[in-house]
Amino acid sequence: LFLSIHKTITFDQTSMKLGLTMGDPNGIGPEVLLRALTQLQPFDGWEPLIFGDLEVLESMAAQLGSSLRLQAVLAADTPVAAGAIPVRNLAVSKDRCWELGRCDPWGGESAFRFVHEAIVAANQGKIAAIVTGPLAKAALQAAGHDFPGHTEMLAHYTNTPRSVMMLVVDQLRAVMATLHLSLREAIDTLTPELLVDTMRITDQALRRMGVSEPRLGIPGLNPHAGENGLFGSEEQEIILPAIAQARQQGIQCSMPISPDAIFLQHQQGRFDAVIALYHDQALIPLKLIGFDRAVNVTLGLPIIRTSVDHGTAFDLAPQLNANPGSMLAAIAMAQQFASGAKGAGSSGS
């Protein structure tokens, strides 16, 4: 599915192995991961491999009353006892500060290490896909890692020139042309070339997902898509030229549609995905429709990655009543994508 034409992935294991990162130890990531795995056990046709902190996971499992058996492993292919879940124990000992609800550099360093090691395993074909738990951008940067989030980290460590984020809720899909930027920066970043590149990546990804003739909905930036320049010039100067270029490349895309109506039209089946122009233009409607089912998918990578679409929720973490719905959906989607990739045996076109 989301495999690059420049790279062929082979899998060492006979059954599908998914790499699961537990996210920031001080957030709800460990809890939602363990709750999801408890619901999914026994695992049918796939195997989990957790990248995380074994002490945190064992303590959390005990507090949740989970019957999961966890076993530390040195590598993705290390055998484990029957019924045990392997854990690549990547605990950070320096300045250790495990305190649920605390945004701390230790949590950021931990979350970074989990994701980085999972990317290495995926690049080597040791795991079929990565499912990521939430990290805190503030903690990540406090630990010295200058990435706005997972998407940029994944692109960097897979040597991908550009990747984009797609949010999926049921049959709804939204891809963001700009991501973790202020609204002013996002508007300044928009160019026809950026939009065409986003449409191209999305079109290719949807085709690998089995959508034979993808139809992309393009929103306006301004109210009523600018009303022919009355409410702004971005539609004429940026969006319409991008649409013309994309259509010349054979991409099916709409004319600019009022942002307050485009997701209703998508829900009604007019489009296979919406190309949102900035972060909240996509996330507000889709999270409203299905916050507990939303899944984040990174397009354009040579590896498969899905994620929960919620944050660390530090304020909720000490309560231990987090909903694992998004993690369950992310694991299911990773299985679906990885099954297609494994069946293909090589990269897509």
Side-chain angles (χ1 to χ4, degrees), residues 84-141:
I85 296 175
V87 177
R88 281 281 287 116
N89 186 22
L90 301 166
V92 176
S93 57
K94 182 180 179 181
D95 299 324
R96 187 173 182 84
C97 184
W98 182 39
E99 180 182 335
L100 290 177
R102 181 183 178 118
C103 183
D104 184 86
W106 172 79
E109 179 62 34
S110 299
F112 171 82
R113 184 176 294 189
F114 307 153
V115 175
H116 181 262
E117 290 300 313
I119 295 171
V120 170
N123 282 337
Q124 296 173 345
K126 301 296 184 182
I127 54 177
I130 302 173
V131 181
T132 56
L135 55 75
K137 299 170 184 63
L140 186 69
Q141 297 202 5

Side-chain angles (χ1 to χ4, degrees), residues 52-70:
D53 185 313
L54 183 61
E55 179 184 347
V56 171
L57 289 166
E58 289 183 332
S59 178
M60 181 65 66
Q63 292 180 66
L64 296 176
S66 171
S67 60
L68 294 175
R69 294 173 54 204
L70 306 172

Side-chain angles (χ1 to χ4, degrees), residues 336-349:
Q336 176 188 348
F337 292 166
S339 294
K342 191 174 181 181
S346 64
S347 60
S349 59

Side-chain angles (χ1 to χ4, degrees), residues 163-336:
S163 61
V164 296
M165 171 180 161
M166 178 171 72
L167 184 69
V168 181
V169 176
D170 302 333
Q171 299 304 310
L172 303 181
R173 308 179 183 99
V175 178
M176 278 136 277
T178 65
L179 192 53
H180 297 119
L181 300 172
S182 72
L183 186 55
R184 186 179 300 279
E185 288 177 303
I187 294 171
D188 291 342
T189 300
L190 283 174
T191 64
E193 293 73 24
L194 180 73
L195 286 179
V196 172
D197 191 47
T198 304
M199 286 188 262
R200 177 188 56 79
I201 291 172
T202 305
D203 180 81
Q204 292 177 351
L206 290 174
R207 291 178 187 276
R208 296 187 194 110
M209 293 168 64
V211 181
S212 59
E213 297 292 336
R215 302 160 299 160
L216 306 182
I218 311 300
L221 178 68
N222 299 296
H224 301 269
E227 286 279 14
N228 296 316
L230 182 63
F231 301 142
S233 60
E234 287 83 3
E235 283 74 17
Q236 284 74 24
E237 296 174 356
I238 300 172
I239 301 172
L240 286 171
I243 289 170
Q245 292 178 37
R247 288 179 172 178
Q248 289 177 352
Q249 297 179 23
I251 297 171
Q252 295 188 51
C253 53
S254 73
M255 295 296 283
I257 295 172
S258 181
D260 62 4
I262 192 166
F263 282 96
L264 176 61
Q265 295 183 19
H266 181 23
Q267 189 178 48
Q268 293 170 341
R270 181 175 174 185
F271 309 116
D272 297 299
V274 170
I275 305 296
L277 305 180
Y278 56 92
H279 183 277
D280 287 4
Q281 192 177 57
L283 269 66
I284 289 173
L286 266 66
K287 285 190 174 183
L288 176 64
I289 290 170
F291 181 83
D292 293 331
R293 305 187 305 279
V295 178
N296 178 341
V297 183
T298 307
L299 308 184
L301 299 175
I303 62 177
I304 297 167
R305 180 260 181 165
T306 68
S307 178
V308 297
D309 192 62
H310 57 68
T312 51
F314 288 129
D315 57 330
L316 301 178
Q319 300 175 24
L320 295 183
N321 62 358
N323 188 327
S326 186
M327 177 61 75
L328 289 164
I331 292 173
M333 189 166 291
Q335 289 178 260
Q336 176 188 348

